[in-house]
Amino acid sequence: MTEPQTPDPSHSEPTEPFVRWSRPEAERGGTHLLVVLHGYGADENDLFGIVPDLPEKFTIASVRAPLVMDHGGYTWFPLTNSLESSPLAVRAAIEDLQEWVAAQRPDFASTSLLGFSMGMAMATSLLRREPEAYACVVGLSGFAIDPTMAPGAGTAAPAAGVVPSEVSGAGPLAGFFDDEAVKAVKPKVFWGRDQADPVITPDKIEYTHAWMNEHVDMTKVLYAGIGHGIGPQELRHVGEFLDYVVK
């Protein structure tokens, strides 16, 4: 694929993403697709080092986020210092990625998603748009997007056990996710993180935990000492999870 243009934030036409594949095109047919989504400020090479730890039956497609950052990395959507973003920018990023993944799916036996940090936000968002399209999702040191949070709205968490998407009042992404369909499907999701992760804020963790408990078949594992990263034990568990769920 060709190098992408720096996208226009107004989102007129999606650009074809740059993708690093683990297999040449001629060897992909009939394998299981695992779409890998990097975190804020990284690129398609950032997570490629985990490929040897993943089951051989998967073809890995590591996708580069579309927005170029000043220091040379990439992001799926712009962030403020409080980890909030424009709902329109979030929606555009999800829709563009969803379109690309949908175009790949017919060539593979199944499709799964793995996202790190902001990449987990993208992976869970794709799942919430088409829950029947994915065999499973792996989220590492990340979060799920709260559709009721307006940009710059602060970090107030919902009441214990309450999923904000079910609270009365329309949010900026109201209706964009089909969480009722997710709840009906109960897709399998692996969520690995360090409880002392210094990057993902507590409100996002609380929302993600409440949402997952309500909507998915969750495997949640806490890892001490990995911070905002991925540890060797976690990688072993991810490989075992993928091997068990995707046949």
Side-chain angles (χ1 to χ4, degrees), residues 49-138:
I50 72 173
V51 169
D53 295 282
L54 302 175
E56 177 64 23
K57 61 188 169 187
F58 287 94
T59 291
I60 312 303
S62 185
V63 183
R64 178 191 296 176
L67 299 179
V68 183
M69 301 178 66
D70 290 341
H71 62 71
Y74 297 83
T75 182
W76 297 99
F77 43 84
L79 286 179
T80 67
N81 289 338
S82 61
L83 302 187
E84 301 304 331
S85 182
S86 159
L88 292 179
V90 172
R91 182 172 185 143
I94 294 165
E95 288 176 334
D96 286 354
L97 183 60
Q98 180 184 2
E99 181 179 335
W100 181 83
V101 174
Q104 313 310 310
R105 286 201 303 261
D107 298 329
F108 295 91
S110 73
T111 301
S112 300
L113 304 167
L114 184 153
F116 171 77
S117 193
M118 183 190 277
M120 178 179 167
M122 294 296 293
T124 52
S125 294
L126 263 61
L127 181 71
R128 296 166 82 175
R129 295 278 289 167
E130 296 180 282
E132 294 184 352
Y134 303 103
C136 66
V137 170
V138 173

Side-chain angles (χ1 to χ4, degrees), residues 28-224:
R28 298 173 197 163
T31 62
H32 298 273
L33 176 62
L34 180 64
V35 179
V36 172
L37 307 170
H38 65 76
Y40 182 75
D43 63 20
E44 72 282 0
N45 299 308
D46 186 58
L47 296 176
F48 218 76
I50 72 173
V51 169
D53 295 282
L54 302 175
E56 177 64 23
K57 61 188 169 187
F58 287 94
T59 291
I60 312 303
S62 185
V63 183
R64 178 191 296 176
L67 299 179
V68 183
M69 301 178 66
D70 290 341
H71 62 71
Y74 297 83
T75 182
W76 297 99
F77 43 84
L79 286 179
T80 67
N81 289 338
S82 61
L83 302 187
E84 301 304 331
S85 182
S86 159
L88 292 179
V90 172
R91 182 172 185 143
I94 294 165
E95 288 176 334
D96 286 354
L97 183 60
Q98 180 184 2
E99 181 179 335
W100 181 83
V101 174
Q104 313 310 310
R105 286 201 303 261
D107 298 329
F108 295 91
S110 73
T111 301
S112 300
L113 304 167
L114 184 153
F116 171 77
S117 193
M118 183 190 277
M120 178 179 167
M122 294 296 293
T124 52
S125 294
L126 263 61
L127 181 71
R128 296 166 82 175
R129 295 278 289 167
E130 296 180 282
E132 294 184 352
Y134 303 103
C136 66
V137 170
V138 173
L140 307 176
S141 299
F143 60 97
I145 291 170
D146 178 356
T148 70
M149 288 291 282
T155 58
V162 176
V163 178
S165 60
E166 295 172 356
V167 178
S168 60
L173 291 173
F176 186 60
F177 297 134
D178 193 351
D179 280 348
E180 285 306 308
V182 178
K183 196 173 185 178
V185 173
K186 282 281 185 180
K188 294 187 179 298
V189 177
F190 180 98
W191 185 22
R193 54 178 291 266
D194 186 340
Q195 202 156 1
D197 185 329
V199 173
I200 308 302
T201 54
D203 61 296
K204 286 181 168 49
I205 295 299
E206 289 180 34
Y207 171 79
T208 303
H209 190 265
W211 178 80
M212 284 199 180
N213 273 336
E214 182 72 17
H215 295 90
V216 307
D217 181 358
M218 176 175 59
T219 299
K220 183 184 74 171
V221 186
L222 296 175
Y223 301 93

